[in-house]
Amino acid sequence: MADPLSNSLDQPLPDGIVPQDIVARTEKRWVLLMVGMLVMMIIVIILTGVMGALHPSSNVETIDPTTLHLRGEFVESNLGTAIEPDGTVTVRLIAQQYDFVPRCVQVPVGTPVKFRLTSADVVHGFLLPDTNVNTMIVPGFVSEVRTRFANEGEYTMPCHEFCGLGHHAMWAHVRVVSSERFAEALSRRLLTPVERFTCASQ
Ligand code: CUA
């Protein structure tokens, strides 16, 4: 015998009320449908994460933003340009509302340069036009970007993440000079290669 409720829509409803067992059955179907969709979405997230090797874009290196000025890699005396033993250059900068510290850094042309950046307060951005350098600077993390400047010149670096009322005025400079000029500036200031270097060191 057919289920008398299978065509319930065709049947006249007593006093316009849907029988309770039909309501329960309909709700159960919707719940199953929702659970099915959730399970499917979670499977899609896991599959795309694993198959597409999705992960945060930078190296995941954490740092305490409240003690940057007190200890560790980003104390003031360690900011700016440094020459590594292998001849490459490392530039360390702090982004904060509304400045980069230091405001101007100097690097030699044609040399591998590694930028290491972190934020003291909110999310900032670091962008060098016409280069591969373009990263977010997130408090609590160190962003690392590697590049090599092909030409001498002055690169302006705007903060490109909205970080507050002074965001539009948050600019700094990378001055790319010839290796001779870089070495000369170093020697004129009697700096050893391990000492830090900014535009003011000229
Ligand atoms: Cu810093 Cu926008």
Side-chain angles (χ1 to χ4, degrees), residues 96-98 123-125 159-164 167-168 170:
Q96 60 187 33
Q97 287 168 320
Y98 299 99
V123 175
H124 299 278
C159 173
H160 68 307
E161 291 283 341
F162 182 75
C163 53
H167 161 72
H168 64 282
M170 189 167 166

Side-chain angles (χ1 to χ4, degrees), residues 55-102:
H55 52 78
S57 56
S58 181
N59 53 329
V60 180
E61 211 180 313
T62 56
I63 191 163
D64 182 356
T66 60
T67 56
L68 292 182
H69 59 301
L70 296 178
R71 56 179 170 271
E73 187 183 339
F74 290 89
V75 291
E76 193 175 353
S77 58
N78 205 34
L79 299 177
T81 304
I83 304 169
E84 303 296 344
D86 64 359
T88 63
V89 163
T90 304
V91 178
R92 291 184 181 83
L93 287 163
I94 292 180
Q96 60 187 33
Q97 287 168 320
Y98 299 99
D99 245 329
F100 288 97
V101 185

Side-chain angles (χ1 to χ4, degrees), residues 110-143:
T111 306
V113 177
K114 181 168 77 183
F115 286 96
R116 286 177 60 78
L117 312 137
T118 193
S119 167
D121 38 45
V122 298
V123 175
H124 299 278
F126 183 74
L127 169 74
L128 293 180
D130 305 323
T131 72
N132 64 325
V133 177
N134 182 354
T135 185
M136 285 170 81
I137 310 172
V138 183
F141 294 88
V142 178
S143 304

